[in-house]
PDB file of all heavy atoms in Angstrom:
ATOM      1  N   ALA A 101     -10.222  27.811  38.334  1.00 87.00           N
ATOM      2  CA  ALA A 101      -8.775  27.909  38.107  1.00 87.00           C
ATOM      3  C   ALA A 101      -8.417  29.071  37.192  1.00 87.00           C
ATOM      4  O   ALA A 101      -7.268  29.516  37.186  1.00 87.00           O
ATOM      5  CB  ALA A 101      -8.256  26.598  37.517  1.00 87.00           C
ATOM      6  N   GLY A 123     -15.524  36.124  31.103  1.00 92.00           N
ATOM      7  CA  GLY A 123     -15.090  37.187  32.002  1.00 92.00           C
ATOM      8  C   GLY A 123     -13.593  37.205  32.265  1.00 92.00           C
ATOM      9  O   GLY A 123     -13.121  37.897  33.165  1.00 92.00           O
ATOM     10  N   ASN A 145       6.445  28.919  20.962  1.00 98.00           N
ATOM     11  CA  ASN A 145       6.496  29.762  22.154  1.00 98.00           C
ATOM     12  C   ASN A 145       6.229  31.220  21.786  1.00 98.00           C
ATOM     13  O   ASN A 145       7.030  32.120  22.088  1.00 98.00           O
ATOM     14  CB  ASN A 145       7.857  29.620  22.857  1.00 98.00           C
ATOM     15  CG  ASN A 145       7.902  30.357  24.174  1.00 98.00           C
ATOM     16  OD1 ASN A 145       6.882  30.581  24.831  1.00 98.00           O
ATOM     17  ND2 ASN A 145       9.093  30.773  24.581  1.00 98.00           N
ATOM     18  N   LYS A 182       0.792  24.565  40.440  1.00 93.00           N
ATOM     19  CA  LYS A 182       1.999  24.036  41.071  1.00 93.00           C
ATOM     20  C   LYS A 182       2.018  22.536  40.887  1.00 93.00           C
ATOM     21  O   LYS A 182       1.123  21.839  41.347  1.00 93.00           O
ATOM     22  CB  LYS A 182       1.989  24.340  42.569  1.00 93.00           C
ATOM     23  CG  LYS A 182       2.379  25.749  42.914  1.00 93.00           C
ATOM     24  CD  LYS A 182       2.542  25.861  44.412  1.00 93.00           C
ATOM     25  CE  LYS A 182       2.932  27.246  44.841  1.00 93.00           C
ATOM     26  NZ  LYS A 182       2.915  27.354  46.304  1.00 93.00           N
ATOM     27  N   ASP A 183       3.053  22.046  40.246  1.00 96.00           N
ATOM     28  CA  ASP A 183       3.109  20.615  39.945  1.00 96.00           C
ATOM     29  C   ASP A 183       4.538  20.252  39.637  1.00 96.00           C
ATOM     30  O   ASP A 183       5.002  20.468  38.523  1.00 96.00           O
ATOM     31  CB  ASP A 183       2.194  20.316  38.757  1.00 96.00           C
ATOM     32  CG  ASP A 183       2.148  18.839  38.409  1.00 96.00           C
ATOM     33  OD1 ASP A 183       2.559  18.021  39.255  1.00 96.00           O
ATOM     34  OD2 ASP A 183       1.709  18.509  37.296  1.00 96.00           O
ATOM     35  N   ASN A 184       5.245  19.747  40.611  1.00 96.00           N
ATOM     36  CA  ASN A 184       6.631  19.333  40.401  1.00 96.00           C
ATOM     37  C   ASN A 184       6.746  17.825  40.447  1.00 96.00           C
ATOM     38  O   ASN A 184       7.312  17.252  41.360  1.00 96.00           O
ATOM     39  CB  ASN A 184       7.541  19.982  41.437  1.00 96.00           C
ATOM     40  CG  ASN A 184       7.924  21.395  41.035  1.00 96.00           C
ATOM     41  OD1 ASN A 184       8.217  21.643  39.872  1.00 96.00           O
ATOM     42  ND2 ASN A 184       7.899  22.310  41.972  1.00 96.00           N
ATOM     43  N   THR A 185       6.152  17.180  39.452  1.00 97.00           N
ATOM     44  CA  THR A 185       6.206  15.727  39.364  1.00 97.00           C
ATOM     45  C   THR A 185       6.911  15.342  38.076  1.00 97.00           C
ATOM     46  O   THR A 185       6.289  14.892  37.118  1.00 97.00           O
ATOM     47  CB  THR A 185       4.782  15.124  39.382  1.00 97.00           C
ATOM     48  OG1 THR A 185       4.001  15.762  38.351  1.00 97.00           O
ATOM     49  CG2 THR A 185       4.091  15.338  40.714  1.00 97.00           C
ATOM     50  N   TYR A 187       9.900  15.904  34.840  1.00 98.00           N
ATOM     51  CA  TYR A 187      10.467  16.900  33.938  1.00 98.00           C
ATOM     52  C   TYR A 187       9.371  17.736  33.277  1.00 98.00           C
ATOM     53  O   TYR A 187       8.254  17.279  33.075  1.00 98.00           O
ATOM     54  CB  TYR A 187      11.327  16.213  32.873  1.00 98.00           C
ATOM     55  CG  TYR A 187      12.399  15.323  33.450  1.00 98.00           C
ATOM     56  CD1 TYR A 187      12.704  14.094  32.874  1.00 98.00           C
ATOM     57  CD2 TYR A 187      13.112  15.693  34.591  1.00 98.00           C
ATOM     58  CE1 TYR A 187      13.690  13.264  33.397  1.00 98.00           C
ATOM     59  CE2 TYR A 187      14.095  14.868  35.124  1.00 98.00           C
ATOM     60  CZ  TYR A 187      14.376  13.652  34.531  1.00 98.00           C
ATOM     61  OH  TYR A 187      15.341  12.838  35.051  1.00 98.00           O
ATOM     62  N   THR A 199       9.607  19.507  16.401  1.00 98.00           N
ATOM     63  CA  THR A 199      10.706  18.556  16.203  1.00 98.00           C
ATOM     64  C   THR A 199      10.772  17.469  17.271  1.00 98.00           C
ATOM     65  O   THR A 199      11.511  16.515  17.133  1.00 98.00           O
ATOM     66  CB  THR A 199      12.073  19.277  16.179  1.00 98.00           C
ATOM     67  OG1 THR A 199      12.316  19.845  17.480  1.00 98.00           O
ATOM     68  CG2 THR A 199      12.105  20.379  15.133  1.00 98.00           C
ATOM     69  N   ARG A 238       9.377  50.600  32.279  1.00 86.00           N
ATOM     70  CA  ARG A 238       9.207  49.253  32.829  1.00 86.00           C
ATOM     71  C   ARG A 238       9.040  49.288  34.339  1.00 86.00           C
ATOM     72  O   ARG A 238       8.414  48.415  34.930  1.00 86.00           O
ATOM     73  CB  ARG A 238      10.420  48.374  32.480  1.00 86.00           C
ATOM     74  CG  ARG A 238      10.268  47.672  31.154  1.00 86.00           C
ATOM     75  CD  ARG A 238      11.529  46.929  30.754  1.00 86.00           C
ATOM     76  NE  ARG A 238      12.150  46.186  31.832  1.00 86.00           N
ATOM     77  CZ  ARG A 238      12.385  44.875  31.805  1.00 86.00           C
ATOM     78  NH1 ARG A 238      12.000  44.155  30.765  1.00 86.00           N
ATOM     79  NH2 ARG A 238      13.009  44.292  32.788  1.00 86.00           N
ATOM     80  N   ARG A 239       9.638  50.275  34.974  1.00 81.00           N
ATOM     81  CA  ARG A 239       9.537  50.351  36.424  1.00 81.00           C
ATOM     82  C   ARG A 239       8.494  51.356  36.887  1.00 81.00           C
ATOM     83  O   ARG A 239       7.890  51.186  37.931  1.00 81.00           O
ATOM     84  CB  ARG A 239      10.894  50.712  37.034  1.00 81.00           C
ATOM     85  CG  ARG A 239      11.952  49.637  36.733  1.00 81.00           C
ATOM     86  CD  ARG A 239      13.203  49.856  37.541  1.00 81.00           C
ATOM     87  NE  ARG A 239      12.945  49.877  38.969  1.00 81.00           N
ATOM     88  CZ  ARG A 239      13.840  50.199  39.883  1.00 81.00           C
ATOM     89  NH1 ARG A 239      15.053  50.536  39.505  1.00 81.00           N
ATOM     90  NH2 ARG A 239      13.548  50.193  41.169  1.00 81.00           N
ATOM     91  N   HIS A 368       9.198  45.388  20.309  1.00 91.00           N
ATOM     92  CA  HIS A 368       8.779  45.414  21.702  1.00 91.00           C
ATOM     93  C   HIS A 368       9.944  45.931  22.552  1.00 91.00           C
ATOM     94  O   HIS A 368      10.812  45.176  22.962  1.00 91.00           O
ATOM     95  CB  HIS A 368       8.357  44.007  22.113  1.00 91.00           C
ATOM     96  CG  HIS A 368       7.463  43.339  21.095  1.00 91.00           C
ATOM     97  ND1 HIS A 368       6.203  43.805  20.802  1.00 91.00           N
ATOM     98  CD2 HIS A 368       7.655  42.277  20.282  1.00 91.00           C
ATOM     99  CE1 HIS A 368       5.653  43.032  19.863  1.00 91.00           C
ATOM    100  NE2 HIS A 368       6.526  42.102  19.527  1.00 91.00           N
ATOM    101  N   ASN A 373      13.159  43.302  21.959  1.00 95.00           N
ATOM    102  CA  ASN A 373      12.798  42.544  20.751  1.00 95.00           C
ATOM    103  C   ASN A 373      12.533  43.499  19.592  1.00 95.00           C
ATOM    104  O   ASN A 373      11.627  44.309  19.636  1.00 95.00           O
ATOM    105  CB  ASN A 373      11.545  41.739  21.080  1.00 95.00           C
ATOM    106  CG  ASN A 373      11.001  40.878  19.938  1.00 95.00           C
ATOM    107  OD1 ASN A 373       9.932  40.320  20.061  1.00 95.00           O
ATOM    108  ND2 ASN A 373      11.713  40.787  18.838  1.00 95.00           N
ATOM    109  N   SER A 402      19.736  37.412  20.806  1.00 97.00           N
ATOM    110  CA  SER A 402      19.144  36.176  20.321  1.00 97.00           C
ATOM    111  C   SER A 402      18.747  36.368  18.869  1.00 97.00           C
ATOM    112  O   SER A 402      18.054  37.333  18.537  1.00 97.00           O
ATOM    113  CB  SER A 402      17.897  35.841  21.147  1.00 97.00           C
ATOM    114  OG  SER A 402      17.111  34.883  20.465  1.00 97.00           O
ATOM    115  N   SER A 404      16.620  34.719  17.370  1.00 97.00           N
ATOM    116  CA  SER A 404      15.172  34.558  17.249  1.00 97.00           C
ATOM    117  C   SER A 404      14.505  34.916  18.562  1.00 97.00           C
ATOM    118  O   SER A 404      14.575  34.165  19.532  1.00 97.00           O
ATOM    119  CB  SER A 404      14.796  33.139  16.859  1.00 97.00           C
ATOM    120  OG  SER A 404      13.377  33.028  16.904  1.00 97.00           O
ATOM    121  N   GLU A 406      11.084  35.661  18.941  1.00 91.00           N
ATOM    122  CA  GLU A 406       9.804  34.997  19.133  1.00 91.00           C
ATOM    123  C   GLU A 406       9.317  34.163  17.956  1.00 91.00           C
ATOM    124  O   GLU A 406       8.376  33.411  18.116  1.00 91.00           O
ATOM    125  CB  GLU A 406       8.703  35.998  19.568  1.00 91.00           C
ATOM    126  CG  GLU A 406       8.599  37.266  18.778  1.00 91.00           C
ATOM    127  CD  GLU A 406       7.444  38.157  19.254  1.00 91.00           C
ATOM    128  OE1 GLU A 406       7.025  38.064  20.424  1.00 91.00           O
ATOM    129  OE2 GLU A 406       6.953  38.927  18.440  1.00 91.00           O
ATOM    130  N   ARG A 421      23.831  30.041  20.150  1.00 97.00           N
ATOM    131  CA  ARG A 421      23.978  28.861  21.005  1.00 97.00           C
ATOM    132  C   ARG A 421      25.364  28.255  20.849  1.00 97.00           C
ATOM    133  O   ARG A 421      25.878  28.154  19.730  1.00 97.00           O
ATOM    134  CB  ARG A 421      22.916  27.815  20.647  1.00 97.00           C
ATOM    135  CG  ARG A 421      21.506  28.277  20.964  1.00 97.00           C
ATOM    136  CD  ARG A 421      21.294  28.343  22.476  1.00 97.00           C
ATOM    137  NE  ARG A 421      19.900  28.609  22.804  1.00 97.00           N
ATOM    138  CZ  ARG A 421      19.386  28.453  24.028  1.00 97.00           C
ATOM    139  NH1 ARG A 421      20.153  28.064  25.038  1.00 97.00           N
ATOM    140  NH2 ARG A 421      18.145  28.717  24.260  1.00 97.00           N
TER     141      ARG A 421
ATOM    142  N   ALA B 101      17.857  45.531  32.593  1.00 87.00           N
ATOM    143  CA  ALA B 101      16.998  44.368  32.372  1.00 87.00           C
ATOM    144  C   ALA B 101      16.206  43.991  33.615  1.00 87.00           C
ATOM    145  O   ALA B 101      15.199  43.291  33.523  1.00 87.00           O
ATOM    146  CB  ALA B 101      17.844  43.180  31.921  1.00 87.00           C
ATOM    147  N   GLY B 123      17.122  48.293  44.489  1.00 92.00           N
ATOM    148  CA  GLY B 123      15.796  48.867  44.270  1.00 92.00           C
ATOM    149  C   GLY B 123      14.806  47.909  43.622  1.00 92.00           C
ATOM    150  O   GLY B 123      13.730  48.323  43.187  1.00 92.00           O
ATOM    151  N   ASN B 145      12.494  23.685  41.263  1.00 98.00           N
ATOM    152  CA  ASN B 145      11.465  24.634  40.815  1.00 98.00           C
ATOM    153  C   ASN B 145      10.665  25.140  42.014  1.00 98.00           C
ATOM    154  O   ASN B 145       9.421  25.046  42.063  1.00 98.00           O
ATOM    155  CB  ASN B 145      10.536  23.973  39.790  1.00 98.00           C
ATOM    156  CG  ASN B 145       9.551  24.958  39.180  1.00 98.00           C
ATOM    157  OD1 ASN B 145       9.807  26.166  39.135  1.00 98.00           O
ATOM    158  ND2 ASN B 145       8.412  24.465  38.729  1.00 98.00           N
ATOM    159  N   LYS B 182      13.023  37.422  25.707  1.00 93.00           N
ATOM    160  CA  LYS B 182      12.502  36.694  24.549  1.00 93.00           C
ATOM    161  C   LYS B 182      13.660  36.041  23.837  1.00 93.00           C
ATOM    162  O   LYS B 182      14.566  36.727  23.370  1.00 93.00           O
ATOM    163  CB  LYS B 182      11.803  37.663  23.599  1.00 93.00           C
ATOM    164  CG  LYS B 182      10.418  38.069  24.016  1.00 93.00           C
ATOM    165  CD  LYS B 182       9.782  38.835  22.881  1.00 93.00           C
ATOM    166  CE  LYS B 182       8.386  39.293  23.234  1.00 93.00           C
ATOM    167  NZ  LYS B 182       7.858  40.196  22.191  1.00 93.00           N
ATOM    168  N   ASP B 183      13.613  34.734  23.711  1.00 96.00           N
ATOM    169  CA  ASP B 183      14.727  34.017  23.116  1.00 96.00           C
ATOM    170  C   ASP B 183      14.251  32.633  22.705  1.00 96.00           C
ATOM    171  O   ASP B 183      14.175  31.730  23.517  1.00 96.00           O
ATOM    172  CB  ASP B 183      15.872  33.911  24.134  1.00 96.00           C
ATOM    173  CG  ASP B 183      17.098  33.236  23.566  1.00 96.00           C
ATOM    174  OD1 ASP B 183      17.187  33.103  22.331  1.00 96.00           O
ATOM    175  OD2 ASP B 183      17.963  32.825  24.362  1.00 96.00           O
ATOM    176  N   ASN B 184      13.892  32.509  21.444  1.00 96.00           N
ATOM    177  CA  ASN B 184      13.435  31.209  20.946  1.00 96.00           C
ATOM    178  C   ASN B 184      14.474  30.616  20.018  1.00 96.00           C
ATOM    179  O   ASN B 184      14.266  30.476  18.822  1.00 96.00           O
ATOM    180  CB  ASN B 184      12.087  31.361  20.239  1.00 96.00           C
ATOM    181  CG  ASN B 184      10.942  31.350  21.232  1.00 96.00           C
ATOM    182  OD1 ASN B 184      10.923  30.550  22.161  1.00 96.00           O
ATOM    183  ND2 ASN B 184       9.995  32.248  21.049  1.00 96.00           N
ATOM    184  N   THR B 185      15.614  30.257  20.591  1.00 97.00           N
ATOM    185  CA  THR B 185      16.682  29.650  19.808  1.00 97.00           C
ATOM    186  C   THR B 185      16.954  28.253  20.345  1.00 97.00           C
ATOM    187  O   THR B 185      17.937  28.012  21.028  1.00 97.00           O
ATOM    188  CB  THR B 185      17.968  30.495  19.884  1.00 97.00           C
ATOM    189  OG1 THR B 185      18.287  30.720  21.267  1.00 97.00           O
ATOM    190  CG2 THR B 185      17.800  31.837  19.201  1.00 97.00           C
ATOM    191  N   TYR B 187      15.742  24.401  22.219  1.00 98.00           N
ATOM    192  CA  TYR B 187      14.954  23.822  23.300  1.00 98.00           C
ATOM    193  C   TYR B 187      15.201  24.557  24.619  1.00 98.00           C
ATOM    194  O   TYR B 187      16.276  25.095  24.864  1.00 98.00           O
ATOM    195  CB  TYR B 187      15.288  22.332  23.450  1.00 98.00           C
ATOM    196  CG  TYR B 187      15.120  21.545  22.166  1.00 98.00           C
ATOM    197  CD1 TYR B 187      16.027  20.552  21.815  1.00 98.00           C
ATOM    198  CD2 TYR B 187      14.064  21.813  21.296  1.00 98.00           C
ATOM    199  CE1 TYR B 187      15.881  19.830  20.629  1.00 98.00           C
ATOM    200  CE2 TYR B 187      13.917  21.101  20.106  1.00 98.00           C
ATOM    201  CZ  TYR B 187      14.823  20.110  19.781  1.00 98.00           C
ATOM    202  OH  TYR B 187      14.688  19.410  18.611  1.00 98.00           O
ATOM    203  N   THR B 199      18.978  15.382  38.385  1.00 98.00           N
ATOM    204  CA  THR B 199      19.091  14.116  37.657  1.00 98.00           C
ATOM    205  C   THR B 199      19.523  14.293  36.204  1.00 98.00           C
ATOM    206  O   THR B 199      19.844  13.313  35.547  1.00 98.00           O
ATOM    207  CB  THR B 199      17.750  13.350  37.658  1.00 98.00           C
ATOM    208  OG1 THR B 199      16.782  14.120  36.908  1.00 98.00           O
ATOM    209  CG2 THR B 199      17.236  13.132  39.074  1.00 98.00           C
ATOM    210  N   ARG B 238      -8.833  35.704  44.038  1.00 86.00           N
ATOM    211  CA  ARG B 238      -7.896  35.663  42.907  1.00 86.00           C
ATOM    212  C   ARG B 238      -8.287  36.654  41.822  1.00 86.00           C
ATOM    213  O   ARG B 238      -7.451  37.142  41.073  1.00 86.00           O
ATOM    214  CB  ARG B 238      -7.850  34.256  42.297  1.00 86.00           C
ATOM    215  CG  ARG B 238      -6.825  33.365  42.956  1.00 86.00           C
ATOM    216  CD  ARG B 238      -6.908  31.940  42.458  1.00 86.00           C
ATOM    217  NE  ARG B 238      -7.070  31.810  41.029  1.00 86.00           N
ATOM    218  CZ  ARG B 238      -6.215  31.175  40.219  1.00 86.00           C
ATOM    219  NH1 ARG B 238      -5.114  30.648  40.718  1.00 86.00           N
ATOM    220  NH2 ARG B 238      -6.450  31.059  38.943  1.00 86.00           N
ATOM    221  N   ARG B 239      -9.573  36.920  41.710  1.00 81.00           N
ATOM    222  CA  ARG B 239     -10.013  37.861  40.678  1.00 81.00           C
ATOM    223  C   ARG B 239     -10.277  39.258  41.225  1.00 81.00           C
ATOM    224  O   ARG B 239     -10.104  40.239  40.525  1.00 81.00           O
ATOM    225  CB  ARG B 239     -11.271  37.328  39.998  1.00 81.00           C
ATOM    226  CG  ARG B 239     -11.001  36.016  39.269  1.00 81.00           C
ATOM    227  CD  ARG B 239     -12.170  35.629  38.414  1.00 81.00           C
ATOM    228  NE  ARG B 239     -12.476  36.645  37.416  1.00 81.00           N
ATOM    229  CZ  ARG B 239     -13.555  36.611  36.639  1.00 81.00           C
ATOM    230  NH1 ARG B 239     -14.412  35.632  36.762  1.00 81.00           N
ATOM    231  NH2 ARG B 239     -13.767  37.563  35.755  1.00 81.00           N
ATOM    232  N   HIS B 368      -1.196  27.146  50.262  1.00 91.00           N
ATOM    233  CA  HIS B 368      -1.388  28.263  49.349  1.00 91.00           C
ATOM    234  C   HIS B 368      -2.721  28.072  48.627  1.00 91.00           C
ATOM    235  O   HIS B 368      -2.799  27.381  47.614  1.00 91.00           O
ATOM    236  CB  HIS B 368      -0.217  28.317  48.375  1.00 91.00           C
ATOM    237  CG  HIS B 368       1.123  28.153  49.045  1.00 91.00           C
ATOM    238  ND1 HIS B 368       1.603  29.069  49.951  1.00 91.00           N
ATOM    239  CD2 HIS B 368       2.058  27.186  48.983  1.00 91.00           C
ATOM    240  CE1 HIS B 368       2.798  28.677  50.392  1.00 91.00           C
ATOM    241  NE2 HIS B 368       3.095  27.529  49.822  1.00 91.00           N
ATOM    242  N   ASN B 373      -2.495  24.416  46.572  1.00 95.00           N
ATOM    243  CA  ASN B 373      -1.351  23.729  47.171  1.00 95.00           C
ATOM    244  C   ASN B 373      -1.544  23.598  48.692  1.00 95.00           C
ATOM    245  O   ASN B 373      -1.629  24.592  49.399  1.00 95.00           O
ATOM    246  CB  ASN B 373      -0.101  24.553  46.858  1.00 95.00           C
ATOM    247  CG  ASN B 373       1.200  24.013  47.428  1.00 95.00           C
ATOM    248  OD1 ASN B 373       2.204  24.689  47.360  1.00 95.00           O
ATOM    249  ND2 ASN B 373       1.215  22.809  47.998  1.00 95.00           N
ATOM    250  N   SER B 402      -1.685  16.810  42.059  1.00 97.00           N
ATOM    251  CA  SER B 402      -0.264  16.527  41.911  1.00 97.00           C
ATOM    252  C   SER B 402       0.291  16.061  43.247  1.00 97.00           C
ATOM    253  O   SER B 402       0.085  16.725  44.273  1.00 97.00           O
ATOM    254  CB  SER B 402       0.474  17.796  41.480  1.00 97.00           C
ATOM    255  OG  SER B 402       1.869  17.631  41.685  1.00 97.00           O
ATOM    256  N   SER B 404       3.226  16.197  44.120  1.00 97.00           N
ATOM    257  CA  SER B 404       4.247  17.135  44.580  1.00 97.00           C
ATOM    258  C   SER B 404       3.987  18.500  43.986  1.00 97.00           C
ATOM    259  O   SER B 404       4.209  18.731  42.795  1.00 97.00           O
ATOM    260  CB  SER B 404       5.647  16.684  44.198  1.00 97.00           C
ATOM    261  OG  SER B 404       6.560  17.711  44.530  1.00 97.00           O
ATOM    262  N   GLU B 406       5.332  21.515  45.196  1.00 91.00           N
ATOM    263  CA  GLU B 406       6.530  22.339  45.069  1.00 91.00           C
ATOM    264  C   GLU B 406       7.802  21.720  45.630  1.00 91.00           C
ATOM    265  O   GLU B 406       8.875  22.237  45.389  1.00 91.00           O
ATOM    266  CB  GLU B 406       6.319  23.752  45.657  1.00 91.00           C
ATOM    267  CG  GLU B 406       5.695  23.824  47.013  1.00 91.00           C
ATOM    268  CD  GLU B 406       5.548  25.279  47.514  1.00 91.00           C
ATOM    269  OE1 GLU B 406       5.520  26.207  46.695  1.00 91.00           O
ATOM    270  OE2 GLU B 406       5.495  25.452  48.728  1.00 91.00           O
ATOM    271  N   ARG B 421       1.551  10.752  37.105  1.00 97.00           N
ATOM    272  CA  ARG B 421       2.059  10.734  35.740  1.00 97.00           C
ATOM    273  C   ARG B 421       1.729   9.398  35.071  1.00 97.00           C
ATOM    274  O   ARG B 421       1.844   8.341  35.691  1.00 97.00           O
ATOM    275  CB  ARG B 421       3.577  10.938  35.737  1.00 97.00           C
ATOM    276  CG  ARG B 421       3.986  12.338  36.178  1.00 97.00           C
ATOM    277  CD  ARG B 421       3.587  13.365  35.156  1.00 97.00           C
ATOM    278  NE  ARG B 421       4.118  14.692  35.500  1.00 97.00           N
ATOM    279  CZ  ARG B 421       4.151  15.706  34.638  1.00 97.00           C
ATOM    280  NH1 ARG B 421       3.675  15.582  33.409  1.00 97.00           N
ATOM    281  NH2 ARG B 421       4.624  16.876  35.018  1.00 97.00           N
TER     282      ARG B 421
END
Side-chain angles (χ1 to χ4, degrees):
Chain A
N145 186 26
K182 281 189 180 173
D183 182 17
N184 277 318
T185 53
Y187 305 140
T199 65
R238 272 174 43 122
R239 298 191 57 188
H368 314 295
N373 180 188
S402 163
S404 174
E406 48 178 25
R421 294 290 188 166
Chain B
N145 186 25
K182 281 189 181 172
D183 183 15
N184 277 317
T185 53
Y187 305 140
T199 65
R238 272 173 43 120
R239 297 190 59 188
H368 315 296
N373 179 189
S402 164
S404 173
E406 48 179 23
R421 292 291 187 166

